């Protein structure tokens, strides 16, 4: 098995970064395929915390990182992140990072549009304000700038003219200050000599890697419930966060992707607006937030907290083709008298077992909660299934049963090795049938 895809199975922040870091030990390459610096992936290694936004999580192990064409790349954010990593002793050079020259650029004008759109919305989405949505809008609008354009200053200038012609009409129409080209152009040209050495043909690298038997981990950002097609639209991000996105977002053939490892917490969180059926407000939600450290990695926003939703997880598993589950943050549930799991929905008094399509219906869902006995002992740092309290084992087994996907790994703390590994997707040919 030479490749594995890692996807967020809930609303993001499930711990994908640390799962990718674990898989990266057995791999040669880590490739990002969607999103941009709206992502925040955390790794904790020997007490040192690494917060990654655009860089593939394999850079911490010195594995080759690829940034695919499906990523929205803010060159300023990338260079700042490379500098932050250098300060932590991780050198990111073109030998360890390659960027698809066809990746779309996130520009300052996109950040301004993101902020203005949020202000204008009657119901804001709660975006990260990084300009990601507007950059993807320009991509599909066929007026976007791409990494390869940085190599041609004249072309870059004329593309910027066209882009601003489009957006300034909108800014002016709303009585907002139009955007000026000169500063944006000079900043891009100043960054180009640092960015271009990283630019290349990622699809070709992945083809060579596959044919020479190398292993690649495809690192998803965001999650199924934030996917532009499969999430709780319009409260979603603007990219393809499911496993299929790994193919379109890097240029690898779908038949070469390998098993899909879905990552889910043993409870649930969501940052930003939108339906969240199993959300728990009040003291219990606050306890989850505090124990889980549930604040955004990059934005610092408090995350909304709730119980695990197996209806959502089962449906996400199907559309993302999840073969195995990694359950994270078991230790956060230590000390609860009771733990709950959402095992069904009621919609207008009728029991349903799927997530309805309209936002209005999603907002009206009432969770059907099942109670599980909690445990008092600490599970923090436990690395063997046999050492878990019986109540924790019962919870994991019940989740596996409800969702219908085998659990490959359970994590018990943020440190790299705080985990119980039951099976590795790399060594498990049978998991593809699941
Ligand atoms: P990602 O976006 O999916 O990579 O996840 P984030 O990094 O945004 O959020 C996950 C947070 O949970 C980070 O602060 C991690 O350090 C932390 N974390 C990951 N696994 C565990 C775990 O098993 N236990 C605890 N307590 N924290 C964890
Ligand atoms: P990782 O990869 C959690 C959410 C935002 C907002 C919505 C749209 O760390 O799991 P955007 O800026 O993308 O247009 O915002 O999506 N969001 C995330 N939530 N984790 C993320 O990434 C997210 N990236 C975007 O909060 O609700
Ligand atoms: Mg995150």
């Amino acid at each position: 098995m030479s490749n594995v895809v890692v996807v967020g199975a809930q609303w993001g922040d499930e711990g994908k970064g640390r799962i990718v870091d674990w898989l990266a030990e057995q791999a040669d390459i880590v490739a990002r395929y969607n999103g941009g610096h709206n992502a925040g992936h955390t790794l904790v290694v020997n007490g040192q915390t690494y917060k990654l936004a655009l860089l593939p999580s394999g850079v911490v192990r010195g594995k080759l990182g690829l940034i695919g064409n499906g990523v929205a790349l803010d060159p300023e954010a990338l260079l700042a992140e490379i500098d932050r990593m250098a300060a932590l002793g991780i050198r990111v050079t073109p030998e360890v990072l390659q960027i698809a020259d066809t990746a779309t650029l996130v520009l300052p004008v996109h950040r301004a549009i993101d902020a203005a759109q949020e202000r204008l919305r009657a119901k804001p989405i709660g975006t990260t304000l990084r300009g990601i949505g507007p950059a993807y809008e320009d991509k599909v609008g066929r007026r976007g700038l791409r990494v390869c354009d940085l190599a041609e200053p004249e072309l870059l200038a004329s593309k910027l003219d066209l882009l601003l012609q489009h957006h300034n009409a909108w800014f002016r129409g709303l009585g907002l200050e139009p955007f000026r080209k000169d500063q944006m152009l000079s900043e891009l040209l100043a960054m180009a000599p640092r960015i271009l050495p990283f630019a290349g043909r990622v699809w070709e690298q992945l083809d060579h890697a596959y044919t020479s038997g190398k292993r690649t981990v495809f690192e998803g950002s965001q999650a199924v419930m934030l996917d532009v097609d499969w999430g709780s639209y319009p409260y979603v991000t603007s990219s393809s966060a499911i496993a299929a996105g790994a193919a379109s977002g890097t240029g690898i053939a779908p038949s070469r992707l390998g098993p899909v490892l879905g990552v889910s917490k043993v409870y649930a969180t969501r940052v930003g607006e939108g339906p969240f059926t199993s959300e728990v407000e009040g003291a219990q939600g606050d306890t989850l937030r505090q124990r889980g450290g549930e604040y955004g990695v990059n934005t610092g926003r408090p995350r909304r907290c709730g119980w695990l939703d197996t209806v959502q997880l089962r449906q996400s598993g199907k559309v993302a083709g999840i073969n195995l589950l990694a359950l994270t943050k078991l230790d956060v549930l230590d000390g609860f008298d009771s733990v709950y799991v959402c095992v069904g929905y009621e919609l207008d008094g009728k029991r349903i077992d799927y997530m309805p399509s309209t936002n209005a219906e999603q907002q009206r869902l009432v969770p059907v909660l099942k109670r599980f006995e909690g445990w008092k002992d600490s599970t923090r740092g436990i690395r063997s299934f046999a050492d878990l309290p019986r109540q924790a084992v019962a919870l994991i087994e019940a989740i596996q049963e409800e969702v219908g996907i085998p659990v490959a790994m359970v994590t018990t703390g943020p440190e790299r090795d705080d985990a119980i590994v039951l099976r590795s997707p790399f060594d498990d040919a049978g998991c593809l049938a699941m």
Side-chain angles (χ1 to χ4, degrees), residues 267-305:
Y267 53 99
T269 63
R270 170 165 207 168
V271 58
E273 300 307 315
F276 183 5
T277 310
S278 59
E279 183 168 13
V280 181
E281 284 165 301
Q284 222 166 21
D286 292 344
T287 306
L288 279 171
R289 184 173 310 106
Q290 272 147 24
R291 291 197 191 155
E294 297 297 354
Y295 297 88
V297 174
N298 290 318
T299 61
R301 292 183 294 172
R303 296 175 184 149
R304 299 156 65 193
C305 296

Side-chain angles (χ1 to χ4, degrees), residues 13-18 40-42 297 303 329 331 411-414:
D13 304 327
E14 299 89 348
K16 297 175 292 293
R18 60 120 1 125
H41 296 181
T42 315
V297 174
R303 296 175 184 149
K329 306 188 84 161
D331 54 299
T411 74
T412 53

Side-chain angles (χ1 to χ4, degrees), residues 8 11-16 32 34-42 52-53 114 118 125-134 136 220-223 226 234-239 269-274 297-299 301 303:
W11 288 270
D13 304 327
E14 299 89 348
K16 297 175 292 293
R32 279 276 307 266
N34 76 305
H37 67 309
N38 49 351
H41 296 181
T42 315
L52 299 160
D114 203 350
E118 280 286 86
I125 290 168
T127 73
T128 59
L129 299 178
R130 299 290 196 258
I132 304 298
Y136 281 122
S221 291
Q222 290 82 50
L226 293 174
Y235 298 97
V236 294
T237 192
S238 302
S239 69
T269 63
R270 170 165 207 168
V271 58
E273 300 307 315
V297 174
N298 290 318
T299 61
R301 292 183 294 172
R303 296 175 184 149

Side-chain angles (χ1 to χ4, degrees), residues 133-181:
Y136 281 122
E137 283 180 43
D138 275 345
K139 176 180 174 173
V140 296
R142 295 164 293 187
R143 56 182 168 264
L145 271 60
R146 308 192 297 175
V147 170
C148 52
D149 297 329
L150 293 173
E152 295 185 57
E154 278 174 25
L155 185 78
L156 191 68
S158 69
K159 285 192 161 188
L160 268 182
D161 277 331
L162 285 175
L163 190 82
L164 289 182
Q165 190 185 37
H166 177 85
H167 290 304
N168 281 340
W170 185 78
F171 280 122
R172 284 195 199 93
L174 290 164
L176 299 171
E177 195 64 28
F179 226 82
R180 289 167 51 89
K181 177 182 83 173

Side-chain angles (χ1 to χ4, degrees), residues 1-4 20-32 56-67 94-98 205-219 426:
M1 208 81 72
S2 59
N3 296 326
V4 172
V20 169
D21 171 62
W22 164 63
L23 286 167
E25 190 186 16
Q26 309 164 59
D28 305 284
I29 299 172
V30 177
R32 279 276 307 266
S57 293
V59 293
V60 175
R61 286 191 190 266
K63 302 286 169 143
L64 176 64
L66 301 177
I67 294 182
E95 283 68 50
V96 292
L97 178 71
Q98 285 283 292
Q205 294 232 17
L206 287 168
D207 183 54
H208 286 159
Y210 187 83
T211 49
S212 57
K214 289 194 173 146
R215 289 170 158 182
T216 301
V217 181
F218 292 89
E219 177 176 9
F426 278 127

